Amino acid sequence: MAKAGPRSPLRGALCGPLLLSLWFFSFTGEACKNVMLNVPSKLEADKLIGRVNWKECFRSADLIRSRDPDFRVLRDGSVYTARAVVLSHERRTFTIQLSDTETQTQKELTVVLEHQKKILKKRNIKETVLRRSKRRWAPIPCSMQENSLGPFPLLLQQVQSDAAQNYTVFYSISGRGVDQEPLNLFFIERDTGNLYCTRPVDREEYDVFDLIAYASTADGYSADLPLPLPIRVEDENDNHPVFTEAIFNFEVPESSRLGTTVGVVCATDRDEPDTMHTRLKYSILEQTPRSPGLFSVQPNTGVITTVSHYLDREVVDKYTLIMKVQDMDGQFFGLAGTSTCIITVKDSNDNAPTFRQNAYETSVEENAYNVEILRIPIEDKDLINTANWRANFTILKGNENGHFKISTEKATNEGILYVVKPLNYEENRQVILEIGVNNEAPFTREVTRVTSMNRALVTVHVRDQDEGPECDPAAQYVRIKENSAVGLKVNGYKAYDPETKNSNGLRYKKLHDPKEWIKIDETSGLVTLSKILDREAAAPKNDLYNITVLATDQDGRSCTGTLAVNIEDVNDNAPDILQDYVVICKQKMTYTDISALDPDEPAHGAPFHFSLASPSPEVNKIWTLNRVNDTAARLSYHKNAQLQEYTIPITVKDRGGQSATKTLRVNLCDCNFPSQCISKARSSGVVLGKWAILAILLGIALLLSVLLTLVCGVVSARKGKKFPEDLAQQNLIISNTEAPGDDRVCSANGFTTQTANNCSQRFCGTMGSGIRNGGQETIELVKGGQQTLDSCRGAGHHHTVDPCRGGHVEMDNCRYTYSEWHNFTQPRLGEESIRGHTG
């Protein structure tokens, strides 16, 4: 029971300078009552400063919120500071908002904080003046036993306030166990202040209850500050310790040393920490197999360790331990729990592989390779299909020439011996190998017994075989000078019979000759040149021209070899300039570099000598050539050079005197980049192409005119070489109309513009060319006294035959032959062709 010392009266009395008092002011209308709290000038954070009865204002409110962030209000009306607050004035107000979310209504409750030292208003209860003393009511530490048997309700203590000496005081409480879960666990008698518990409490669920006690008068006035009232639940050892796992699984290598940690078991106890109820001890109740005892557990930590080095997986590969944990520091009356611990012994490489016998024998035919000749089994007691069991075989001795290989068969762990390189019976009839074996995993160092690699001897007998010819060495070399004469004979490829050690009876055949330059004699193997060798055309690798040769014995057995021909180079190639056409931008370039390449060997190649080959005076005046390096020269021009394309002959000579001349086209152009000149050349080429097409069409028209002339001549000759009476209609006319107008024929009969007068002399066949002024071009063929055809003067007129020197046209006496026509038309057709091209 807690009781405070004598308290000063609260109603109408003087309140100390740092005391709390509540004042209620009623306002008219439906507004809530204002609440006034007398508080110290400095308020600490999370400090209870009073409680308001908001239900009198708005009972249905389900949301309570302070509008001032410095204060917070709980559901029960308790007012706390949210942070440290200093009152700079004697009064501070804030508003509490009350909301009903269902009806969407709100009310506000104003709280006034006042810091004052004046005498409070008198209250008409018992005494007119109350004075506070320095003492306040304070709780006596209170506790209750977990799982108490009652009787219930169980009296815990009595709470009293000093104000009860002068006023009628009513007590109430709040907090967890009253108006918070678990509800109705505690209650206090309103008049006496006796605090009761209604039922047993489980400490593991609730270890302390922080209640708040209130003392108030009948009208709701707080007679004293709220009193924190913690109630602690005393622990009872009512929970057994429990292992964290029902079954623990650990592994330990069989080669572990004494004291090796196997694993850690762990248990928990829900009782109060740091008490005897939770002080646990671990122990091993049972081991299976029982004997011998190989493990121990540290009582306080639960660490399991080995206590023997006799772990052998090949004997026992798994142990089961029954573990026990007990509270009360392991005393007999403590509560206990058990668990199972399974320890698996991991395999270690503590057993070396061994051969079943110390010596083996086998045989193989000579020249055989990539064949299996022996399987060697072993024994290993370690765990199958692990690195501790899998074997690695090694040939320790006898395989210096690399004829043998040994590998491991994964399924059976046997060693398989192969011949990978043919054996020669004539050289070695028996080979003795020493084979060693170990495991993939290293042997365990903890094993104290001395071990070494297990070894066995294998004797391999080589069986004789009638062999074919041998091409040894596989590549044989011969030197032939380039450009040697056809028919030259040199030594060829030579194979031999391994039994007789000579080449008698062997025949040779060429299998591959890239250029078909040689022939091979079938019996002797001599090489004869069938073509002139050209080193540069062969493009040999490392200057070797390889020919594949087949050697065959009388039984048809054969071998192949390579005849490597070393073609000796001669200086038979002149250097060649790599460029054909270059562009020099005069705005930015004063020279261009040209380079040459010689396909001959370096001894017959660079340094090259560049020079201008018989240049014209213009070229020699503008261009100069200077050496840059062994394979390049610099072509420079003078500043007064004109922009145009030049053709410059350049001679280049190698160190052996071989030379060649090449004409280089150089375009000296007004540009910034060479590509600009190239694009201009392409565009100009397109324009010229159109004129060329027009010239071709004119040429075709002239050719047709010739053919028509010849046809008319032949036809006239067959009719007696006479002009018909209607001379105008018998003329051969070729007209090319270039302007609107009618095609008209000028003849000896006369026309509207000019007429042909009578001639006393004969006319010869003539061709006239028409003018192109508004009319047409007319070609007339007539026969007269002279071979002339005059042109009509003036624009717009046609060409006609002028009058001859008197006389009439005698049609019957006209004579013309093919030669006359030919002599007359050929030169004039040439003129027409020239005019067509220039047009």
Side-chain angles (χ1 to χ4, degrees), residues 9-14 119-123 128-130 167:
L10 297 180
R11 181 171 299 176
L14 176 64
I119 298 177
L120 298 179
K121 182 181 179 181
K122 297 182 179 180
R123 297 178 61 87
T128 57
V129 178
L130 297 178
Y167 305 98

Side-chain angles (χ1 to χ4, degrees), residues 694-716:
L694 181 59
I696 291 172
L697 294 177
L698 292 175
I700 293 173
L702 291 174
L703 180 61
L704 291 175
S705 67
V706 172
L707 293 176
L708 289 174
T709 303
L710 294 177
V711 170
C712 291
V714 172
V715 171
S716 298

Side-chain angles (χ1 to χ4, degrees), residues 294-369:
L294 301 177
F295 307 97
S296 68
V297 62
Q298 211 286 332
N300 296 324
T301 61
V303 177
I304 301 174
T305 57
T306 59
V307 294
S308 174
H309 57 268
Y310 292 109
L311 287 174
D312 192 347
R313 189 204 63 82
E314 288 73 33
V315 178
V316 178
D317 62 350
K318 187 175 294 185
Y319 293 89
T320 302
L321 305 180
I322 303 299
M323 305 300 300
K324 174 186 175 183
V325 61
Q326 191 170 19
D327 60 16
M328 300 301 293
D329 203 21
Q331 299 183 55
F332 69 93
F333 51 83
L335 302 179
T338 60
S339 180
T340 301
C341 179
I342 299 176
I343 301 175
T344 301
V345 181
K346 293 172 56 179
D347 184 49
S348 297
N349 191 18
D350 56 347
N351 293 281
T354 58
F355 291 103
R356 294 181 181 178
Q357 57 191 69
N358 295 327
Y360 299 87
E361 287 192 13
T362 185
S363 63
V364 63
E365 288 188 353
E366 67 171 334
N367 300 322
Y369 63 97

Side-chain angles (χ1 to χ4, degrees), residues 25-320:
F25 296 93
S26 298
F27 292 87
T28 60
E30 296 182 355
C32 296
K33 297 180 180 179
N34 290 350
V35 178
M36 185 173 188
L37 302 179
N38 280 355
V39 296
S41 59
K42 295 182 180 180
L43 300 176
E44 298 177 359
D46 296 323
K47 183 72 172 180
L48 178 66
I49 61 175
R51 187 170 66 171
V52 296
N53 189 4
W54 56 268
K55 292 184 179 180
E56 292 183 355
C57 175
F58 196 10
R59 181 173 297 275
S60 62
D62 54 6
L63 180 61
I64 305 172
R65 183 170 62 88
S66 171
R67 290 186 175 273
D68 192 331
D70 290 340
F71 304 95
R72 56 189 177 91
V73 183
L74 302 184
R75 178 81 179 167
D76 62 356
S78 300
V79 181
Y80 286 86
T81 54
R83 59 179 64 91
V85 178
V86 177
L87 299 182
S88 58
H89 302 284
E90 291 186 355
R91 177 174 293 190
R92 176 174 177 176
T93 62
F94 68 91
T95 304
I96 299 175
Q97 182 178 333
L98 307 174
S99 303
D100 187 344
T101 56
E102 293 184 1
T103 61
Q104 298 294 323
T105 57
Q106 292 183 354
K107 291 187 178 182
E108 291 186 348
L109 178 64
T110 302
V111 178
V112 180
L113 301 181
E114 187 175 15
H115 170 224
Q116 60 182 12
K117 298 182 180 180
K118 298 180 181 180
I119 298 177
L120 298 179
K121 182 181 179 181
K122 297 182 179 180
R123 297 178 61 87
N124 297 323
I125 302 177
K126 292 186 178 180
E127 298 292 338
T128 57
V129 178
L130 297 178
R131 296 182 182 275
R132 290 187 180 273
S133 66
K134 294 183 180 180
R135 296 180 58 195
R136 298 183 61 241
W137 63 325
I140 298 175
C142 178
S143 64
M144 60 180 294
Q145 186 67 36
E146 178 186 15
N147 301 323
S148 175
L149 299 178
F152 296 100
L154 178 66
L155 178 63
L156 299 180
Q157 69 173 359
Q158 184 181 23
V159 178
Q160 288 187 343
S161 173
D162 293 350
Q165 299 176 7
N166 302 311
Y167 305 98
T168 300
V169 177
F170 301 102
Y171 300 95
S172 61
I173 57 175
S174 66
R176 189 171 66 172
V178 181
D179 53 1
Q180 302 175 24
E181 291 292 337
L183 298 174
N184 302 320
L185 178 62
F186 301 100
F187 72 91
I188 190 171
E189 289 184 345
R190 184 169 180 265
D191 298 325
T192 64
N194 292 333
L195 180 64
Y196 292 91
C197 178
T198 60
R199 57 184 182 272
V201 178
D202 185 1
R203 191 210 66 84
E204 286 69 43
E205 188 174 3
Y206 303 102
D207 57 347
V208 66
F209 294 94
D210 292 318
L211 304 181
I212 298 178
Y214 305 94
S216 59
T217 59
D219 58 358
Y221 174 75
S222 295
D224 214 325
L225 293 174
L227 175 67
L229 189 61
I231 299 177
R232 183 174 175 274
V233 181
E234 297 290 344
D235 183 47
E236 182 182 28
N237 191 19
D238 57 344
N239 290 279
H240 291 260
V242 178
F243 281 99
T244 56
E245 297 183 27
I247 299 177
F248 291 90
N249 289 281
F250 301 116
E251 292 182 346
V252 60
E254 62 176 326
S255 58
S256 298
R257 296 181 178 180
L258 193 68
T260 300
T261 299
V262 178
V264 180
V265 294
C266 184
T268 59
D269 195 322
R270 296 183 62 200
D271 289 323
E272 187 173 1
D274 301 324
T275 65
M276 290 294 289
H277 299 162
T278 55
R279 185 171 297 177
L280 307 180
K281 293 288 185 180
Y282 299 93
S283 60
I284 299 175
L285 292 180
E286 182 182 348
Q287 173 186 302
T288 304
R290 293 180 179 275
S291 178
L294 301 177
F295 307 97
S296 68
V297 62
Q298 211 286 332
N300 296 324
T301 61
V303 177
I304 301 174
T305 57
T306 59
V307 294
S308 174
H309 57 268
Y310 292 109
L311 287 174
D312 192 347
R313 189 204 63 82
E314 288 73 33
V315 178
V316 178
D317 62 350
K318 187 175 294 185
Y319 293 89
T320 302

